[in-house]
């Protein structure tokens, strides 16, 4: 099958915003941070039609930055993202409605002073997907599809629970009729029982609408559940990418191995468990280590690792791994 | 058998709000021995944090402990004069909050804060305080601990701040630590480090630990016993392995079945329908009835409290016991 979404060498730097005071202080020799944050570096991948790619990694590794570039809401500093070969952004602006986004905190992404019915129909009306006259029925239909009572269309976001707000955010994204959905931590702030309800809704709608998804989460069991393939990020780069079943069963990259090892698993036996934390801290994206960025924490690091950055290399089973000694 | 370190009996902490009385904790009983780790699980709003705050005497108005007792090392903490409670808090009982910001003072260095915490309860020289503080920071995995004492909280990452907050809680060698979702906001790699440290602490120093969390996986690998809370009550408790392997209460079963780990990848999860009830309008019957697949007319009456072999559950129609 051919790729629907293609990311080629995506890179995103954030330059520190220096105030005039900072500049003067720097001129007088004070230590002012002038290095850019390298949030995402040279990331390439493809998502096939109907496939869900899961994206995991520790806080600050660049997941959201990558997701926002894929969704066309953050311009890359380098590289490009395309759908069916067409660029998603042109001149710093999103050129397509084929990709929509659902974020972790729907409260922050829903306008607090607008009734949710208006929030859901706003985009579709602007893009001619529905007429103003037909909007109420359209909104009622979407609310029903995400498991809400159509009568709630006149309510404001604060009148909903976290799980209900996430349903509204899903309805708003899907009402734009996207083929591709970027979900950034959509269940992270929810209780397990509500998380299960939202994950089920996601699975149902994904199947019904044939959606292609990028699903971002730091929760490895959630990603395992929804993904066909997974990508593991470390300090702005993908270190391993491949079929979810394969990577979870036999991770190859030392970081993926350490990450899977350190997750507490549901234990139903009485045996005592040893926790196996990853040594050391996540380094700063301001000054990523030379060579392989994982080398200061890696039990297999060699001189080569300290010198040369490993590139993503395809393995016989189709998994790609960036490691000199995998 | 010696008396347990902590014995909570029929604890009731209510919030007297304008909209009515929210019975956040309503008849909670449990006990805890030295060196034991107790997991307290339940959905958001079930009363876990209020239970924790009640134990350390930090329930703010309109909240109030309206009944029950909290016997700690032989003394009832309910009704203890505030100065005596303050003397206990931070020395013999410590709490770690979900947000380390709640513990750390932004305008003092970590070293100053740790010294103050030590000197509040004992005569300790500045030098000895610095040494003990550095040793404790090293123990929770802060590299170059001695030099980090002169740093302010904002100079640490979120994960390190939480480790500092945990080090502060451990400083005076408390007999009981109440930890309220301390690793929820942390990455798995840092979480694993803190869990390892907590487990070692309970085993080696005999510290008793109450670990409040909605994460059953974490609790299953950390705790000895688990309390499952719903709408202000303990609906099930027992040894963690037994309870999770063969829950008797339908709510515990539902929580377990909600986990992605319990289903085949890509398959629908067995979700609990509906949401937690409002604590303002609880019926006299079982509060879980509107969401329970086993509910019938019997459940309009308060469920019986069934206790045997270290297990406890409150239900008219419990699930089968393990074979
Ligand atoms: N607008 C911005 N300005 C400056 N730095 C930024 C900005 N947005 C992100 N960053 C930095 O880029 C890096 C990656 O951030 P990003 O939000 O993508 O991480 P993440 O993997 O989504 O983390 P989390 O799991 O915490 O959501 C971080 O170091 C972050 O501080
Ligand atoms: N300051 C407060 N005022 C009124 N009600 C409160 C207050 N704090 C907590 N409550 C009530 O107590 C219940 C339990 O809260 P909490 O213990 O924080 O839940 P959990 O920690 O289990 O998520 C909440 O549903 C809320 O109704
Ligand atoms: S390249 Fe070297 S340091 Fe990096 S993960 Fe592989 S073995 Fe470890
Ligand atoms: S008492 Fe009834 S409603 Fe409550 S948990 Fe048991 S079976 Fe369900
Ligand atoms: Mg993010
Ligand atoms: Mg809480």
């Amino acid at each position: 099958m051919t790729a629907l979404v293609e990311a080629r060498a995506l890179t995103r730097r954030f330059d520190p915003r220096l105030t005039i005071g900072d500049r003067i202080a720097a001129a007088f020799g004070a230590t002012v941070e002038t290095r850019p944050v390298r949030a995402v570096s040279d990331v390439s991948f493809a998502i096939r039609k109907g496939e869900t790619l899961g994206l995991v990694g520790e806080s600050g590794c660049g997941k959201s930055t990558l997701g926002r570039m894929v969704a066309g809401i953050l311009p890359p500093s380098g590289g490009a993202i395309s759908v069916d070969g067409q660029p998603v952004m042109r001149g710093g602006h999103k050129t397509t409605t084929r990709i929509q986004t659902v974020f972790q905190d729907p409260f922050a992404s829903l306008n607090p002073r607008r009734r949710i019915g208006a929030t859901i129909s706003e985009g579709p009306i602007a893009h001619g997907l529905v007429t103003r006259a037909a909007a109420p029925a359209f909104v009622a239909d979407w609310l029903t599809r995400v498991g809400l009572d159509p009568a709630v269309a006149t309510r404001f976001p604060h009148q909903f629970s976290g799980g209900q707000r996430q349903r509204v955010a899903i309805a708003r994204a899907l009402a734009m009729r996207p083929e591709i959905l970027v979900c950034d931590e959509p269940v992270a702030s929810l209780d397990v029982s509500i998380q299960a309800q939202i994950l089920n809704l996601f699975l149902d709608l994904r199947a019904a609408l044939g959606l292609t998804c990028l699903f971002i989460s730091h929760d490895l069991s959630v990603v395992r559940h929804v993904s066909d393939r997974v990508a593991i990020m470390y300090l702005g780069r993908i270190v391993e990418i491949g079929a979810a079943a394969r990577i979870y069963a036999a991770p190859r990259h030392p970081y993926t191995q350490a990450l899977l090892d350190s997750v507490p698993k549901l234990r139903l036996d009485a045996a005592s468990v040893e926790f196996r934390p990853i040594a050391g801290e996540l380094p700063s994206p301001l000054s990523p280590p030379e060579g392989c960025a994982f080398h200061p924490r890696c039990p297999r690091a060699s001189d080569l690792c300290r010198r040369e950055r490993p590139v993503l290399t395809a393995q016989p089973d189709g998994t790609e791994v960036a490691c000199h000694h995998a | 058998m010696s008396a347990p370190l902590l014995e909570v009996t029929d604890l009731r902490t209510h919030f007297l709000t304008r909209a009515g009385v929210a019975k956040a904790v309503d008849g909670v009983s449990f006990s805890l021995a030295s060196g034991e780790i107790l997991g307290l699980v339940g959905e958001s709003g079930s009363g876990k944090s209020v239970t924790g705050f009640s134990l350390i005497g930090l329930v703010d108005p309109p909240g109030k402990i309206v009944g029950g007792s909290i016997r700690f090392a032989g003394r009832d903490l309910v009704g203890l004069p505030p100065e005596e409670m303050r003397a206990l808090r931070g020395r013999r009982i410590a709490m770690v909050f979900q947000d380390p910001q709640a513990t750390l003072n932004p305008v003092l260095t970590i070293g100053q804060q740790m010294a103050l915490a030590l000197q509040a309860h004992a005569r300790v020289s500045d030098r000895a305080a610095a040494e003990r503080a550095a040793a404790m920071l090293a123990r929770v995995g802060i590299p170059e601990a001695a030099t980090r004492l002169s740093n302010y909280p904002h100079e640490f990452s979120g994960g390190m701040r939480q480790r500092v907050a945990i080090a502060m809680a451990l400083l005076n060698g408390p007999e009981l630590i109440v930890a309220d979702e301390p690793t929820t906001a942390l990455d798995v790699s840092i979480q694993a480090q803190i869990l390892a440290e907590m487990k070692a602490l309970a085993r080696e120093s005999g510290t008793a630990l109450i670990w409040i969390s909605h994460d059953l996986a974490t609790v299953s690998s950390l705790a000895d016993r688990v309390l499952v809370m719903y709408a202000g009550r303990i609906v099930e408790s027992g040894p963690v392995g037994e309870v999770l392997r063969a829950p008797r209460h339908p709510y515990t079963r539902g929580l377990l079945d909600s986990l992605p780990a319990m289903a085949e990848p890509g398959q629908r999860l067995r979700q609990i329908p509906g949401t937690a009830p409002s604590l303002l309008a609880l019926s006299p019957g079982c509060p879980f009835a509107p969401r329970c697949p086993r509910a019938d007319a019997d459940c309009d009456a308060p469920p019986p409290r069934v206790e045997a072999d270290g297990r406890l559950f409150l239900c008219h129609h419990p699930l089968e016991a393990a074979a």
Side-chain angles (χ1 to χ4, degrees), chain B residues 48-49 98 180-181 212:
Chain B
K48 306 183 297 294
S49 297
Q98 177 163 359
D180 190 359
E181 315 232 17
I212 299 177

Side-chain angles (χ1 to χ4, degrees), chain A residues 57-60 63 161 167 188 190-201 203-204 206 218 220-222 224-227 259 262-278 280-282 297, chain B residues 42-44 141 143 157 160 163 184 186-193 195-196 199 214-218 220-222 241-242 244-245 255-256 258-275 291:
Chain A
E58 289 174 272
S59 182
K63 302 181 297 295
S161 69
R167 289 177 191 271
L190 305 175
D191 269 324
V192 276
S193 66
I194 308 301
Q195 173 179 302
Q197 294 174 1
I198 298 295
L199 287 176
N200 281 343
L201 176 68
L203 294 175
D204 293 346
R206 182 179 72 180
H218 67 275
L220 289 148
S221 66
V222 168
R224 171 75 190 94
H225 195 71
V226 302
S227 307
L259 197 63
S262 62
V263 182
K265 291 169 195 68
L266 187 67
R267 306 285 306 217
L268 301 181
D269 50 25
S272 171
V273 193
E274 289 311 316
F275 296 103
R276 272 175 293 174
I278 307 178
E281 290 273 327
L282 196 65
R297 307 169 78 184
Chain B
E43 282 169 280
S44 148
S157 72
M160 285 170 93
R163 276 182 272 177
T184 308
L186 301 182
D187 277 316
V188 282
S189 66
I190 296 161
Q191 176 178 317
Q193 203 170 335
L195 292 173
K199 198 155 189 168
H214 63 263
D215 181 1
L216 289 174
T218 303
S220 74
S221 23
L222 181 71
E242 284 182 35
L244 297 185
R245 207 165 34 245
L255 275 185
L256 273 166
S258 299
L259 296 176
M262 297 296 277
E264 283 298 309
Q267 300 301 305
R268 293 186 102 254
L269 302 165
R270 255 183 289 163
Q271 65 186 43
I272 306 176
T275 54
R291 308 172 75 186

Side-chain angles (χ1 to χ4, degrees), chain A residues 90-111:
Chain A
R90 211 174 268 130
H93 294 283
K94 188 175 170 184
T95 57
T96 177
T97 59
R98 295 170 77 181
I99 305 185
Q100 296 296 326
T101 323
V102 177
F103 294 102
Q104 166 174 1
D105 181 7
F107 204 45
S109 64
L110 297 175
N111 184 338

Side-chain angles (χ1 to χ4, degrees), chain B residues 131-155:
Chain B
E131 272 167 26
R132 277 173 63 183
M136 198 50 84
L137 288 179
R139 193 154 177 202
V140 294
I142 305 269
E144 297 165 54
T147 60
R148 306 288 322 233
L149 286 177
S150 58
N151 287 151
Y152 289 89
H154 75 261
E155 295 176 79

Side-chain angles (χ1 to χ4, degrees), chain A residues 125 130-137:
Chain A
I125 292 174
V130 66
T131 62
R132 207 166 279 281

